[in-house]
Amino acid sequence: MLAAPETPNTDRPLREAVRDTLRTRIFDGHYAPGTRLVERDLAAEFNVSRLPVREALRMLRQEGLIRDRASRGMEVSGLSAKDVEDLFDVRQSLEVLACRLAAARATAADLEQLQGLLDEADRCLAKGSILEAHRANSEFHDAITRIANNDFLRSALEPLQGRMHWLFRHVSDLPELIQEHRDLYAAIASGDPERAAAQSASHIGKYREQFPEDSPTAELTLQRKRT
């Protein structure tokens, strides 16, 4: 059965509940890169049929979080140094555009949602719920993509979101990250697309510079550079 913290919302399709549970386990290191994910075993563990597990694995493969190794079946992917560099290149291009569009198109309700996610991240951090704080931070970026309201942009970002969220689960300074997001929120709320774009580029570039180039695939860690 799904563990208590992973119990799915009954209004959501079962395949999405299984996907979210597996994704969380990948993010929190329960499944390290190279770990095999066996459809039959997962179905037995979650007490579901194999179909939602198969669909969940397919979605995770599309996100790049797992890969199909013919001889081993499905296994958790890793990120090489080049993968990280390439990911930052694409993220910087697409997310800067998303923030520019969001600043031009955000409604009062959209801004309220972004503010709510920032507050949720703060609440989770205050009570020591680190994974939940990370989830709120990830949802903040996803909400910006939705607010940008560009279907082509969203379709380009969706296959990358799993890997981007995974990467930034390794940020150790959560209070600073949340403050960075508050600065980004302020830029979007200003309604100035160029200010929002510049703030987004600064935000992404800051963590790109801090990411060690020689990190082992299984131990991706963002560390503060000391000068």
Side-chain angles (χ1 to χ4, degrees), residues 6 12 16-35 37 56 59-66 75-79 87 91 130-142 157-172 174 217-222:
E6 303 168 319
R12 304 186 64 208
E16 293 183 10
V18 174
R19 176 203 61 192
D20 290 350
T21 298
L22 295 175
R23 184 195 282 144
T24 296
R25 291 181 179 185
I26 292 171
F27 284 163
D28 66 18
H30 181 81
Y31 296 141
T35 300
L37 298 179
M59 288 188 282
L60 291 174
R61 184 177 61 207
Q62 289 176 337
E63 292 182 17
L65 292 180
I66 65 174
E75 69 176 30
V76 176
S77 301
L79 288 175
L87 187 55
R91 185 179 187 224
I130 303 303
L131 289 178
E132 292 301 319
H134 277 302
R135 182 176 291 112
N137 284 323
S138 295
E139 289 176 1
F140 176 81
H141 278 283
D142 292 346
L157 273 169
E158 279 178 351
L160 303 174
Q161 284 173 334
R163 278 168 284 188
M164 290 191 297
H165 295 340
W166 187 13
L167 191 64
F168 279 84
R169 290 296 177 107
H170 297 81
V171 174
S172 59
L174 272 177
T217 300
E219 298 179 353
L220 296 175
T221 306
L222 282 167

Side-chain angles (χ1 to χ4, degrees), residues 18 22 25 31 37-48 53 57:
V18 174
L22 295 175
R25 291 181 179 185
Y31 296 141
L37 298 179
V38 180
E39 181 183 304
R40 178 187 63 254
D41 296 343
L42 292 170
E45 179 184 354
F46 294 155
N47 195 27
V48 298
V53 173
L57 292 175

Side-chain angles (χ1 to χ4, degrees), residues 6 20 23 26 34 46 50 94 98-99 102 113 140 147-148 171 173 178-179 182 188-189 192 206 208 214:
E6 303 168 319
D20 290 350
R23 184 195 282 144
I26 292 171
F46 294 155
R50 293 175 67 167
L94 297 181
C99 288
Q113 181 194 17
F140 176 81
I147 293 167
V171 174
D173 194 342
I178 294 170
Q179 182 57 52
R182 288 197 179 278
I188 292 171
D192 182 343
K206 180 176 185 176
R208 179 176 195 151
D214 58 350

